[in-house]
Amino acid sequence: MSGIARRTLGPGGVEVTELSFGAAGIGNLYAPVTDEEAAAAVDAAWDAGIRCFDTAPHYGMGLSERRLGEALRARPRDAYALSTKAGRILEPVAGRPVGDDLANGFAVPATHRRVWDFSADGVRRSLEDSLTRLGLDRVDIVYLHDPDDHAEQAFREGYPALERLRAEGVVGAIGAGMNQTAMLTRFVRDTDVDAVLCAGRYTLLDQSALADLLPAAQQHGTSVVMGGVFNSGLLADPRPGATYDYATAPAGLLDRALRLKAMAERHGTTLRAAAIAFPLAHPSVAGVLVGARSAYEVRDAAEQFARAVPDAFWQDARAEGLLPAEVPVPREESA
């Protein structure tokens, strides 16, 4: 499984593998992960041929960055691409931490508080702090992280700061990462970002990015990295109580996911394989990002990425109304 292809992000020359490792899980997303488990997950990603790793200060209040940096320390720096994010400054809490950070989704002590900051100084400080935690002198990609409620500061101050950092050679590529398409489309149309990271909006269950983001990206030569390909769980394991976009899945979506799963199995593949393969059929999608918290989850993701999804699956999905006719779908290499 070392043959994962690489694609270039926009015009800037930063290469990513079509399958990327999402490091929120090793920041203790929802439940604790040991240092050893985190290191084993990164090692498994490397062994599988993954050479793109995504993290953020938000993930475990810096824990993900520290663990990822440590796990990659002995790897050749030019052999992989690493992305982190800016927009939340981590401010230490005075005295002993009280409680945990589970209200924000992470099983870590509440040693810091997050302060939204998309100012030019905030972006530079965020990156400097990230480099310290990672133990690196540069990162390849920086995304403005979830600027939903801070649009004007992000466009007026944060984005120009990233542009200057790119011009200085401190970072190779710049962009924004969000769970929505409207503002990402604005970034594509109104700025010179290399790439955007879009979570959950171009999946087997939600193709809303096809209405605005993906056509704009294609027109402007901007790359899109797709995260959330399992829609936070429903497309990984559809069952009653499964989550969709971090809440219990509505009955109608659960039914669609179950029908897609049964169809995949009839065609000798898996729903997870189809969910990973689907976004890559669009010409503007440079890669998919799959989060993992263990070596087992990484190996499974790599196996599903490599697994064939027959053309007949996509044909049947369209025929049964589970995918719109206009949505591009992958084709088998032998086709």
Side-chain angles (χ1 to χ4, degrees):
M1 268 178 283
S2 60
I4 300 177
R6 296 179 184 235
R7 299 190 188 184
T8 302
L9 293 183
V14 173
E15 285 190 338
V16 297
T17 40
E18 289 183 336
L19 181 63
S20 295
F21 176 91
I26 64 170
N28 287 13
L29 181 65
Y30 304 133
V33 173
T34 67
D35 291 343
E36 293 76 16
E37 288 168 333
V42 177
D43 288 345
W46 192 274
D47 292 344
I50 294 170
R51 294 295 183 270
C52 186
F53 302 84
D54 177 77
T55 184
H58 173 55
Y59 302 157
M61 291 195 293
L63 179 62
S64 172
E65 289 183 318
R66 290 192 297 273
R67 283 175 163 172
L68 185 60
E70 180 61 31
L72 291 171
R73 188 88 67 233
R75 310 290 186 184
R77 183 61 189 89
D78 291 338
Y80 64 89
L82 189 145
S83 58
T84 192
K85 307 183 183 76
R88 294 171 174 90
I89 298 291
L90 302 180
E91 297 281 4
V93 173
R96 294 189 58 173
V98 177
D100 57 37
D101 190 49
L102 280 170
N104 293 296
F106 295 92
V108 295
T111 55
H112 292 71
R113 64 187 184 94
R114 297 170 179 83
V115 178
W116 289 103
D117 191 341
F118 289 95
S119 69
D121 288 344
V123 166
R124 282 188 173 268
R125 178 184 165 191
S126 179
L127 180 56
E128 289 168 2
D129 290 348
S130 289
L131 290 173
T132 298
R133 287 187 290 265
L134 287 161
L136 297 174
D137 59 3
R138 65 180 173 88
V139 295
D140 301 281
I141 309 153
V142 177
Y143 298 109
L144 296 178
H145 198 189
D146 296 335
D148 304 67
D149 298 325
H150 309 271
E152 293 319 304
Q153 188 181 48
F155 281 96
R156 188 178 64 250
E157 302 179 46
Y159 167 74
L162 285 186
E163 204 172 50
R164 286 190 292 273
L165 288 165
R166 181 178 61 186
E168 294 165 8
V170 178
V171 300
I174 59 173
M178 306 180 72
N179 294 287
Q180 55 144 296
T181 63
M183 197 181 298
L184 289 181
T185 303
R186 182 181 168 191
F187 273 105
V188 169
R189 289 176 174 161
D190 296 350
T191 75
D192 189 30
V193 292
D194 299 283
V196 293
L197 171 56
C198 179
R201 303 285 74 84
Y202 195 60
T203 72
L204 289 175
L205 295 175
D206 182 340
Q207 297 93 47
S208 54
L210 203 60
D212 51 5
L213 176 60
L214 289 172
Q218 199 165 3
Q219 178 184 355
H220 290 269
T222 307
S223 295
V224 183
V225 177
M226 286 296 175
V229 296
F230 299 135
N231 282 124
S232 78
L234 182 56
L235 285 169
D237 182 17
R239 53 182 169 72
T243 53
Y244 176 84
D245 286 0
Y246 312 106
T248 302
L253 284 177
L254 173 59
D255 177 67
R256 281 182 62 199
L258 287 169
R259 289 173 64 194
L260 284 163
K261 179 182 179 182
M263 184 179 294
E265 291 171 352
R266 286 200 304 273
H267 287 289
T269 189
T270 67
L271 178 60
R272 298 194 309 288
I276 291 174
F278 170 73
L280 288 165
H282 194 282
S284 290
V285 175
V288 294
L289 189 155
V290 176
R293 58 193 298 115
S294 68
Y296 170 80
E297 289 183 357
V298 172
R299 286 192 289 266
D300 179 71
E303 288 167 5
Q304 301 308 317
F305 173 83
R307 189 162 187 161
V309 181
D311 293 342
F313 167 83
W314 305 110
Q315 293 163 5
D316 285 358
R318 283 172 163 171
E320 295 192 19
L322 294 171
L323 278 178
E326 70 274 11
V327 171
V329 296
R331 291 183 60 82
E332 287 187 280
E333 291 184 8
S334 60

